[in-house]
Amino acid sequence: MVREYQSPVRVYKHPFELIIAAYNKRFPKCPLIPVFVDSEIISESQSQDGSTLVIERRCTIDIDAPRLLKRIAGVDYLYFIQKNTLNRRERTLIIEVQNETFSNRVISCECCKYTVHPENEEWTCFEQTASLDVKSFFGFEGLAEKIAMKQYANSIEKGKEIIQYHLTELEKEGITYIPRWAQPSPAQAVPGNRVQDAPAVYDKDHPAEIATASPDDKLDADYIRRYLGDLTPLQESCLIRLRQWLQETNKGKCPKDQHVLRFLIATDFNFDKARELLCQSLTWRKQHQVDFLLDSWLRPQLLQDFYSGGWHHNDRDGRPLYVLRLGHMDTKGLMRALTEEVLVRQVVAVNEEGLRRCEENTAIFGRPIWCWTCLVDLEGLNMRHLWRPGLKALLRIIEVVEANYPETLGRLFMLKAPRLFPVLWTLVSPLINENTRKKFLVYAANDYKGPGGLVDYIDQAFIPDFLGGDCMCDIPEGGLVPKSLYRTAEELEIEDNRLLTESIYKSASIFKGAPYEILIEIVEASSVITWDFDVSKGDVLFSIYHSKRAPRPSKKDTLGAHGFTSLASVNPQLLDKSWVLGQDYSRVEKAFTCREGESVQGSHITRWPGYYILQWCFHSAPAASASSLSYVDDVLASLQVSSHKCKIMYYIEVLASQDIRGSMTSLESSHSGFSQLSTSTTLSSQSHTSSTVSR
């Protein structure tokens, strides 16, 4: 596997010619680089006019490796070939380095570039990339890779220090300025071999990319420290690579650097995992127009009156402070009066405002402000807050925040926790990321007023008055939502079905002991059955069966235009109970489990004509033990299993064999029409399908 590394652009506020003179002083060896034992020039050539100089060196490196490994490898030193191409006309130096030792086992490549700053010709930019491919190394491949990574990190960290050291040495010698190269007259032309194969670093019509690139296209090391914090060289490399990948592949607006870095931190700088999670989040943001939410969304008056939360100054670290009086908020009333989507939008808007405030505070305080602090007042928390629909909405909100706003919460205070709080915490905490849970500080009664309390984190002048502080907190006090504002049962039903009527997707309920089945008649073999369904409630088992003879559905059900059975009040049993699997019918797709919240897409190429039955069965959780369940266990079970019914939304399409290369909208779909802010959609590429058709 090839490992790649990319450094940020480092800026030296000195002219290019002076930087190159400082760089050349490290040869043949440099006391500041102990591993750089020696170097010798093996070839040198210069263009006829003297503008281009190419030097090749063999460098001796004493790698900081275990003595045992050196003995096994049979070497004390490693040798690298370094090729330096200096273009004095265009003021660029390109350094290419590749290992000579063990080149059949390890390929280590490095490319460094010194160029003129695109906005200030008196400054110099430095950029470094590297790649490592350990093919085989006496069984120590992992160790060899770690040693190389350590070496790369050390060279990045020492690079600027070494240049600065040699600049000081030049100054001691009285050299503070070196004139730029000028085209010599014919009489002054430098004799020698003209370099025919020198790298094409300049084109009058297409100047060098590095020299003319926009500052926004690259990350500067000083910018990283100022706005993103202190990162290790490998962390910087991971950030730059992910940022470049987004610029190359994302046709829309790329996220800000802080946002990209949050996903890397949340995944411990696992490049592939961070890229996957970030791409899913960017798709979610695009689907729901989150980038425009703060400017376009108007909060309902009901939220303005009864949602008791708001922003309130900053904590001692400069983080924006959000105050939520959860115990004073009628969560059940808000759920009965508003849709779940509205509440999720409210939470998303809070997070978007938090990102904006962090960015503003970074500029104000002159240091990176990554996250905000949340202060939750639990006084008044009661059984009303454990209302099951409200808890389910809370779990959805947690999923949305965890997936799209990682590393945005710096610290969360839970104050005046009542005796009921452990019940709520037991329900919610398993769904919160472990790193996030570590940021929670819980205080019972008035414990927050003592040592280690709020005053250690928030200035007394900014602690809200209702918590014993000196500051008036201008947020709604909450209170009970009048029942006159509740939605009626009919309105609730209409809201649940609204998305169904607006899309091509149909809904179905799967009952325990009564699977939901769709019958499709296939006249021609090699047709394609495609499916796209969301599991919106419970867990289901999905299977496909084939029969040569038609099943006999209930009298109320008939075959539609595409051979689909119509919905009935009770799911029809298409597979006759007297039929024997393997004789009367066969399974053509192995049953697989689809979890709540998943979106599943797939296809099946039919091998025979006949009748195909798509079946969804209720999948129950493991039975509870015979011992009596506690209240918490009972609530948890009710949230997870949610009685004896599952719900799906589905879209089925049948493609005739002659139309396989035509329109295949269902195969191309990546989300179902049910996807919304309050729905967790997991894109599953199911391996159980017998075949997948593509263009």
Side-chain angles (χ1 to χ4, degrees):
M1 181 177 179
V2 179
R3 299 282 186 179
E4 296 182 351
Y5 309 100
Q6 170 74 58
S7 75
V9 176
R10 281 168 166 74
V11 178
Y12 300 100
K13 296 183 179 180
H14 299 278
F16 174 81
E17 289 73 21
L18 196 61
I19 293 296
I20 298 306
Y23 167 79
N24 286 329
K25 288 184 72 66
R26 69 174 62 186
F27 299 104
K29 57 184 179 180
C30 176
L32 295 182
I33 315 177
V35 298
F36 188 42
V37 178
D38 200 2
S39 66
E40 60 173 329
I41 297 176
I42 57 178
S43 70
E44 181 175 356
S45 58
Q46 188 168 235
S47 62
Q48 189 172 4
D49 62 359
S51 63
T52 303
L53 175 65
V54 180
I55 299 177
E56 285 196 26
R57 293 183 176 91
R58 175 178 284 110
C59 302
T60 305
I61 306 295
D62 183 11
I63 295 294
D64 184 17
R67 181 173 299 179
L68 176 62
L69 183 59
K70 289 185 177 181
R71 286 185 177 180
I72 293 175
V75 297
D76 289 324
Y77 302 114
L78 300 182
Y79 296 94
F80 286 79
I81 299 299
Q82 182 190 79
K83 179 182 178 181
N84 290 1
T85 303
L86 174 63
N87 188 314
R88 298 186 179 98
R89 184 196 305 274
E90 298 307 322
R91 306 175 75 195
T92 63
L93 173 63
I94 299 178
I95 307 165
E96 299 168 286
V97 182
Q98 186 165 336
N99 63 301
E100 185 179 39
T101 310
F102 301 124
S103 58
N104 61 329
R105 295 178 177 271
V106 179
I107 299 177
S108 174
C109 299
E110 184 177 315
C111 181
C112 304
K113 298 178 182 179
Y114 285 92
T115 57
V116 178
H117 193 282
E119 294 183 345
N120 190 329
E121 62 180 14
E122 296 300 320
W123 292 357
T124 306
C125 295
F126 173 78
E127 190 175 4
Q128 182 175 4
T129 60
S131 65
L132 177 69
D133 184 7
V134 183
K135 297 180 178 180
S136 64
F137 202 76
F138 312 103
F140 292 91
E141 289 78 14
L143 179 59
E145 183 175 314
K146 289 181 180 179
I147 292 173
M149 290 172 62
K150 181 180 178 181
Q151 193 69 31
Y152 169 80
N154 289 339
S155 67
I156 288 291
E157 290 177 339
K158 296 280 291 185
K160 197 165 187 176
E161 176 186 343
I162 294 170
I163 288 292
Q164 191 59 51
Y165 170 81
H166 288 304
L167 285 173
T168 303
E169 291 294 306
L170 288 173
E171 187 176 356
K172 291 179 181 179
E173 297 172 11
I175 302 174
T176 58
Y177 174 77
I178 297 177
R180 298 183 188 180
W181 179 87
Q183 177 74 41
S185 63
Q188 298 174 321
V190 179
N193 296 327
R194 183 178 182 86
V195 179
Q196 300 293 338
D197 298 325
V201 295
Y202 178 71
D203 184 326
K204 291 182 178 180
D205 298 322
H206 301 87
E209 178 184 354
I210 296 296
T212 59
S214 166
D216 294 335
D217 294 338
K218 298 181 180 295
L219 283 183
D220 176 82
D222 294 332
Y223 164 84
I224 290 178
R225 285 192 295 271
R226 169 66 176 79
Y227 293 98
L228 304 179
D230 292 324
L231 303 178
T232 68
L234 296 180
Q235 290 172 345
E236 291 176 344
S237 172
C238 205
L239 169 63
I240 293 169
R241 287 172 55 219
L242 182 53
R243 188 176 185 269
Q244 289 178 342
W245 183 87
L246 288 169
Q247 290 174 338
E248 293 170 359
T249 60
N250 190 354
K251 296 181 181 180
K253 180 181 179 182
C254 288
K256 295 181 179 178
D257 298 323
Q258 272 196 346
H259 197 59
V260 175
L261 190 53
R262 284 189 175 96
F263 282 86
L264 286 168
I265 293 174
T267 57
D268 197 22
F269 286 86
N270 184 315
F271 178 85
D272 293 330
K273 189 173 182 180
R275 179 175 62 182
E276 177 184 358
L277 296 178
L278 181 55
C279 287
Q280 291 176 0
S281 179
L282 292 177
T283 300
W284 171 82
R285 294 180 69 88
K286 184 176 181 180
Q287 286 178 333
H288 307 294
Q289 298 292 297
V290 176
D291 290 335
F292 310 102
L293 183 62
L294 292 181
D295 299 323
S296 62
W297 187 55
L298 297 177
R299 290 200 310 161
Q301 188 62 43
L302 193 66
L303 272 182
Q304 298 181 37
D305 295 338
F306 293 97
Y307 186 88
S308 52
W311 293 99
H312 177 78
H313 298 286
N314 306 306
D315 67 7
R316 291 186 182 274
D317 295 324
R319 297 168 174 167
L321 178 62
Y322 190 82
V323 178
L324 180 66
R325 305 193 70 178
L326 182 61
H328 285 232
M329 193 158 58
D330 181 10
T331 55
K332 181 177 181 179
L334 289 174
M335 282 291 299
R336 291 294 302 272
L338 299 169
T339 65
E340 181 179 308
E341 183 179 354
V342 170
L343 293 179
V344 175
R345 281 184 174 272
Q346 166 66 13
V347 175
V348 171
V350 169
N351 280 270
E352 287 295 304
E353 177 65 23
L355 293 177
R356 177 182 293 181
R357 287 174 177 264
C358 285
E359 187 177 345
E360 293 173 351
N361 283 12
T362 296
I364 293 173
F365 291 99
R367 64 178 185 276
I369 304 295
W370 274 92
C371 44
W372 55 84
T373 296
C374 187
L375 193 158
V376 182
D377 179 12
L378 297 175
E379 184 179 28
L381 190 74
N382 55 46
M383 294 298 296
R384 192 178 183 88
H385 294 87
L386 296 182
W387 185 55
R388 196 176 74 182
L391 280 177
K392 291 189 68 176
L394 176 60
L395 300 184
R396 299 281 190 185
I397 289 171
I398 291 174
E399 290 177 356
V400 169
V401 174
E402 287 279 307
N404 300 285
Y405 300 96
E407 296 299 321
T408 53
L409 179 65
R411 195 177 289 115
L412 187 144
F413 296 93
M414 292 186 171
L415 311 176
K416 301 182 180 180
R419 297 179 63 183
L420 181 65
F421 175 75
V423 178
L424 178 62
W425 181 245
T426 302
L427 297 174
V428 173
S429 61
L431 299 175
I432 301 175
N433 181 275
E434 181 180 355
N435 291 333
T436 303
R437 290 202 303 268
K438 294 177 181 178
K439 302 172 183 178
F440 285 44
L441 299 175
V442 182
Y443 298 88
N446 291 321
D447 293 347
Y448 66 91
K449 295 182 178 180
L454 276 186
V455 72
D456 288 355
Y457 304 95
I458 304 172
D459 193 288
Q460 179 69 27
F462 296 144
I463 295 178
D465 56 320
F466 56 82
L467 295 175
D470 302 330
C471 188
M472 295 294 295
C473 189
D474 186 21
I475 61 174
E477 294 186 2
L480 294 177
V481 177
K483 292 185 178 180
S484 60
L485 299 178
Y486 286 6
R487 291 175 294 160
T488 64
E490 291 77 10
E491 289 174 328
L492 291 172
E493 184 70 21
I494 292 173
E495 179 61 29
D496 290 339
N497 294 327
R498 178 177 61 84
L499 289 174
L500 302 182
T501 60
E502 293 178 354
S503 72
I504 60 176
Y505 290 81
K506 297 180 180 179
S507 66
S509 296
I510 299 103
F511 298 91
K512 195 171 185 178
Y516 182 79
E517 298 171 334
I518 292 177
L519 179 63
I520 303 175
E521 182 179 5
I522 297 296
V523 178
E524 183 182 15
S526 299
S527 297
V528 181
I529 302 173
T530 70
W531 57 84
D532 183 353
F533 65 87
D534 282 3
V535 184
S536 58
K537 181 179 181 182
D539 299 339
V540 299
L541 289 174
F542 178 65
S543 308
I544 300 181
Y545 299 92
H546 171 262
S547 172
K548 294 181 180 179
R549 54 193 176 105
R552 297 182 179 179
S554 304
K555 293 182 179 180
K556 294 182 180 180
D557 297 291
T558 58
L559 296 180
H562 294 284
F564 300 161
T565 58
S566 62
L567 293 174
S569 57
V570 178
N571 295 344
Q573 190 71 40
L574 297 178
L575 293 175
D576 197 302
K577 293 183 179 180
S578 64
W579 283 13
V580 178
L581 183 63
Q583 297 181 11
D584 300 292
Y585 68 106
S586 60
R587 180 184 282 117
V588 294
E589 287 289 348
K590 184 179 178 181
F592 58 90
T593 304
C594 309
R595 302 296 181 184
E596 180 174 328
E598 285 188 342
S599 177
V600 182
Q601 300 83 33
S603 62
H604 175 82
I605 299 179
T606 61
R607 296 180 60 185
W608 316 280
Y611 299 90
Y612 288 79
I613 299 98
L614 278 62
Q615 183 189 78
W616 290 266
C617 292
F618 179 90
H619 181 64
S620 59
S625 62
S627 60
S628 60
L629 294 175
S630 66
Y631 170 77
V632 174
D633 294 331
D634 184 49
V635 175
L636 276 172
S638 66
L639 284 172
Q640 294 172 354
V641 178
S642 190
S643 74
H644 60 282
K645 183 174 69 173
C646 300
K647 286 186 177 181
I648 62 170
M649 297 183 63
Y650 67 89
Y651 171 63
I652 308 298
E653 183 178 1
V654 178
L655 303 175
S657 59
Q658 66 268 23
D659 297 331
I660 286 179
R661 295 187 178 275
S663 171
M664 292 189 294
T665 56
S666 63
L667 292 179
E668 295 172 349
S669 63
S670 60
H671 297 275
S672 75
F674 184 66
S675 180
Q676 55 179 320
L677 283 177
S678 59
T679 300
S680 172
T681 301
T682 304
L683 300 182
S684 302
S685 178
Q686 301 294 348
S687 60
H688 308 281
T689 56
S690 61
S691 172
T692 301
V693 180
S694 59
R695 290 188 187 277

